[in-house]
Structures are given as C-alpha cells and as structure tokens.
Amino acid sequence: MTMSAEALAADYLATGTVAGAPSGHFIDGREQDSLSGEKMDIFDPGLGRPFAAVAAGDRADAELAVASSVKAFPAWRRLAPAERGRILNRMAALIRENADQLAMLETLDVGKTLAESRGNAHSAARTFEYYAGVCDKLQGDSLPVGFGQIGLTLLEPVGVVAQIIPWNFPMTTFARGIAPALAAGCCVVAKPAETTPHTAILLARLLSDAGLPPGVCNVVLGEGPSVGATLSAHPDVAHVTFTGSTKTGVRVMQAAAEHFASVTMELGGKSPVIALADCDIEAAAQGAAGAIFENAGQICSAGSRLVVDRAIHRKLVDRVVEIAGEITVGHGLRGNKMGAINSRRQLDMILGFTDRARRDGRAILCGGKQLQDADGGEGWFIGPTVIDDLPDDDPCVQEEIFGPVLSVQVVDGPEDALRAANATRYGLMAGIYTSNISSALAIARDLESGSVTINDYWGGGVEVPFGGVGHSGFGREKGLVAVQAYCRVKSVVARVPATLSQETRNN
C-alpha cells in the first residue's frame, strides 16, 4: 500500500532519508547512471544539508538521450492520435495515484510546503488530462486557391524537442511543456534543474508505466553549462522550451540559433498587483499577499509589486502586513504556511536586496532578515517582507528578487497606476483590483503584460495561455496555443482537372 505524504514526511524527518527515491537519468525507457559514474548531492532547503545523491550528467549523457529520442520519433509521430491521447490520460491518472510521493519529493527538492506541492501534483495531472483531449483534434485547413486546384495544410510534429525545467515548479513546468509536445507527436529530452531532479525522474517513470514507448521522453540530470548547453546547441533538437532567468535565456537562444531551432522563452518577471481606490480592500490584501508569499515568492509571475492608490495605501498595506504576520515559516514538511528558499545562493541574493533597502533608508514594514526553522534551527528561510513607498527607479521595483519581498509603489489614480505598472522592462503578468470593470478592462488593454487577471491574481488554469513580453520572453505555454510551438505547417496544393471528361481524355 502506498504511504501517505504525511507518513513519508514523518519517516524522512526521523531518518533523514527517502526510501526508494529515484536517482538516475531516465533514458530509453529505464533509469541509468551517468556514463562517467559521477554523482551530485541534492539538498533539503529546509535543513540546508544533502538528503540524496543523483546521477551527474554531462555532454555524453545528453547526446545519448537525444539519439534515443531521434530513434523513437518516427514510430511515435505515426502512432494514432487517439492512442497518444489514451497514454496521456493514463499518465494523468497515475500522477493522481502517486500524488503523495510526488508532493513529498517536490517539497524536499524545492523547499515549498507540502500543501503547495500537493496542489502542484494535481495541476500536473490536469495538464496531461487537458492535452490528452487535444491529440486527436489537431487539424489543418483547406485553402481557397481557386477552381482547378485543391489546397490544404498539414500539421506535423517538429521532431525532437528539449525542455529545460526550472527549480521552482518542477512538476507543473514538466507537465505544461512535455504534455503538449507529446500530444503533437514530438519526442522530448528534459533537463530538470540540478537542485530539483526527483519529480522529473519519477514523472518519466510514470509516463513509461502509462505506455509511452522507450525514448519518447528522456530525462537527463546535470548542470546547465553541460547538459542544458548541449541540448540547446544540439543539431538534432528542433525546438527548445526554456523557463528560467533572462540572462540564461539569452544564452539558450544564441545556442539554438546556430542550428535554426525555434524557442519558447518564459523568463523573469516583476509583475504588478494594481489596487485602485474603489477596490475591495480585503480581497486586494489577500490577493496581493497570496501573489507574493506563495512558494516563498519563488515564482516568475509572482505579484512582487503592489501598485496602490494613495487614497487606500495605508489601510491596504497595513492589512497585507497583518496577513504576513500570520504566516508561519519553516520546513515544508512540518505544516508551516511558508517553506524555505531553494538554495543558500538564492537566499543570499534576496538578502542582498533587503540589506540594500535597509541601508538606503527604505521603510521595511516586516521581514527582510534571515530566519531559522523553529523546530530544526536550520535551513534557508526569510520571512514575508513588505517594503513601503518605493520610487520607480529603486532596485526592489526594477529587479527580479525571486523571494517573498513585496515592493509597494504609491500612485494617484488609474492613469498613474498604469504608468507605474509599465515602468519595468518585464511583462509577464499583472493583476488589477477594482469594482469598476470598465477601468479594469481599459487598464488590461494598455498593460505591457502577457497575462492580466482581474480581482483574482491566480485566476485561470491550464486552459489559459501563459507567457510574457519584453524581458519576460516570448511564446506561449498552456492552452491550445501551446501546441503550436511543437507543430510545423506543411502546405499541399494539387491541380485538379476542370472536368471529369478532361481527366478521361488525359488518361
């Protein structure tokens, strides 16, 4: 009988180990060690120390995985679309059956809470379920080329694609990239972040259990400069989907351009939550807090800026600070409301921003300092942080902090709110809180953002396209539009005789 997440957590906290955790690459339908035999430690952010070791791949492992996918591609693309859909549906069911184990591993890898990880598992299942229904509905068009000809388009899979997965949402990012690629008939080589490998291996194993043929989805573990760079530059990789920092995204694009591979880039963000004077203050406060404190703010689309009308500034910000004070911080397996920062390096980066804000005399209303887990006294933690009344050019307004730090900008009216919201080089997501739908729609129209929500910051799901503009990248994931990245259009035009009698004479 499968153990519950709570039982798995209790066992881990007692022993410091996870029985049966996957540890190798998943290539050609089986787990395997690196060709070099090298291993790398995986840290529990809540304790700040290693809890497992996995295969450390390099260029040779990545090339082996690509070769496996190249070999598998012809048969996979020819498989009946309905059968592809059945495999993806079985995958969704298997994720739900194994949600507790997946959630446990996600919490240990990332540092987030068990509740958040459980939600991620079910979101991943829903994503495979959604794209299972797409498989047999991908169709081309008939073209109005005129009498005497028939024109049509065919949708074809682009081939082998690479998925470079970030450390903050390993399960959901795996699903939102790999499910549409498989639905389109592509084969996939995935590289999870080096700090968060476990759920990617387990998901690949579950895909195999669901009936996915060997080589159709391979997972290679290792660091970006070796494995990620090899996949981005590999001539047999037709498309690269990358989620991560803007700086690394530039390098991925440059490598892919050398062999004319297409790319989808989901990069950084500095997303605003706009609160107009007529908004429901409690709803806006809850929305703003959830937008930045979920997953300890380690979300590309986190609402890291609160753009608030001066008329409600004090009341709204005070309420957000109250909500922040109710958030318990500690190990994600111990029932806390906020977990750890993923790495010592990331924590130091966040503290660099808050330390500078303190030196500059900014008003830090709460948080801003390193914490320790109340039970274990270890790990990488920072409390929910609110920095008040910042100018547009402050680094906490302009730069992606990637932590639970809310930067407040005070504005005067809707036009000023729009100006402030658009005052960064990023454009991934934005939220608007107002009781006036006309104002909301007008601002939504003029925001430089790939996604906008109104009165519900995390509104939508897999059905809604997601992606950015500006330094937040380009291309879209989720929704039906996501499948387009994994398809190419072939046009076919045939000459047709004007009459049947003409055809008879020609014969």
Side-chain angles (χ1 to χ4, degrees), residues 106-461:
E106 185 101 330
T107 291
L108 286 182
D109 276 359
V110 180
K112 63 179 64 179
T113 68
L114 191 57
E116 289 170 330
S117 295
R118 270 202 177 104
N120 295 165
H122 290 287
S123 177
R126 170 64 187 135
T127 299
F128 276 97
E129 183 178 68
Y130 177 82
Y131 288 106
V134 172
C135 294
D136 58 359
K137 299 168 186 68
L138 296 175
Q139 57 193 37
D141 294 315
S142 62
L143 308 174
V145 291
F147 194 76
Q149 291 182 324
I150 292 178
L152 55 93
T153 60
L154 305 175
L155 291 184
E156 300 179 335
V158 297
V160 175
V161 303
Q163 301 279 339
I164 300 178
I165 298 168
W167 51 259
N168 57 336
F169 283 90
M171 269 194 286
T172 55
T173 311
F174 180 104
R176 81 181 188 194
I178 288 173
L182 296 179
C186 294
C187 290
V188 180
V189 180
K191 190 207 91 67
E194 48 265 41
T195 60
T196 57
H198 285 104
T199 50
I201 312 169
L202 184 52
L203 287 169
R205 184 195 293 173
L206 293 177
L207 273 169
S208 180
D209 293 343
L212 196 74
V216 175
C217 180
N218 294 314
V219 173
V220 186
L221 312 180
E223 296 185 348
S226 54
V227 175
T230 299
L231 296 177
S232 301
H234 200 292
D236 289 331
V237 170
H239 180 88
V240 181
T241 293
F242 172 81
T243 303
S245 72
T246 302
K247 183 177 179 180
T248 304
V250 170
R251 294 198 294 270
V252 171
M253 284 189 280
Q254 289 171 337
E258 290 291 330
H259 61 285
F260 299 96
S262 56
V263 294
T264 298
M265 293 280 124
E266 200 264 272
L267 307 176
K270 197 67 188 177
S271 301
V273 178
I274 301 169
L276 300 184
D278 63 354
C279 74
D280 179 325
I281 289 179
E282 180 62 20
Q286 295 289 345
I292 186 59
F293 300 141
E294 181 177 330
N295 199 34
Q298 299 167 112
I299 308 175
C300 297
S301 53
S304 54
R305 294 186 290 142
L306 175 58
V307 179
V308 56
D309 192 285
R310 193 177 305 277
I312 60 169
H313 162 236
R314 188 76 277 134
K315 187 173 183 180
L316 177 57
V317 171
D318 286 350
R319 180 61 184 129
V320 172
V321 172
E322 281 183 16
I323 295 169
E326 297 166 358
I327 296 174
T328 58
V329 180
H331 199 289
L333 295 179
R334 292 193 172 114
N336 292 290
K337 293 183 179 180
M338 182 187 291
I341 302 303
N342 181 251
S343 67
R344 177 77 244 183
R345 176 185 177 188
Q346 184 62 30
L347 177 60
D348 288 342
M349 186 181 302
I350 298 166
L351 292 171
F353 279 97
T354 59
D355 288 348
R356 176 172 175 174
R358 193 173 289 108
R359 290 194 303 270
D360 290 345
R362 304 304 188 197
I364 301 178
L365 304 184
C366 61
K369 295 182 179 180
Q370 183 175 355
L371 302 177
Q372 288 185 326
D373 178 74
D375 294 307
E378 300 171 291
W380 303 314
F381 300 96
I382 183 172
T385 302
V386 178
I387 308 178
D388 199 18
D389 198 9
L390 292 169
D392 287 355
D393 62 353
D394 191 275
C396 289
V397 170
Q398 293 297 324
E399 302 299 327
E400 185 176 40
I401 299 174
F402 223 68
V405 180
L406 181 63
S407 302
V408 179
Q409 296 169 267
V410 184
V411 296
D412 296 294
E415 290 186 2
D416 196 29
L418 177 63
R419 176 205 58 77
N422 283 338
T424 77
R425 64 186 184 274
Y426 296 106
L428 188 55
M429 189 166 170
I432 306 168
Y433 283 83
T434 176
S435 61
N436 188 323
I437 191 62
S438 295
S439 296
L441 292 175
I443 293 173
R445 177 195 61 205
D446 295 333
L447 279 168
E448 294 295 325
S449 178
S451 299
V452 181
T453 58
I454 298 171
N455 294 327
D456 181 4
Y457 190 79
W458 295 121

Side-chain angles (χ1 to χ4, degrees), residues 28-43:
D28 217 25
R30 63 183 182 89
E31 288 182 47
Q32 52 190 273
D33 292 334
S34 294
L35 294 173
S36 66
E38 294 293 318
K39 298 275 189 180
M40 58 185 182
D41 286 334
I42 305 301
F43 284 74

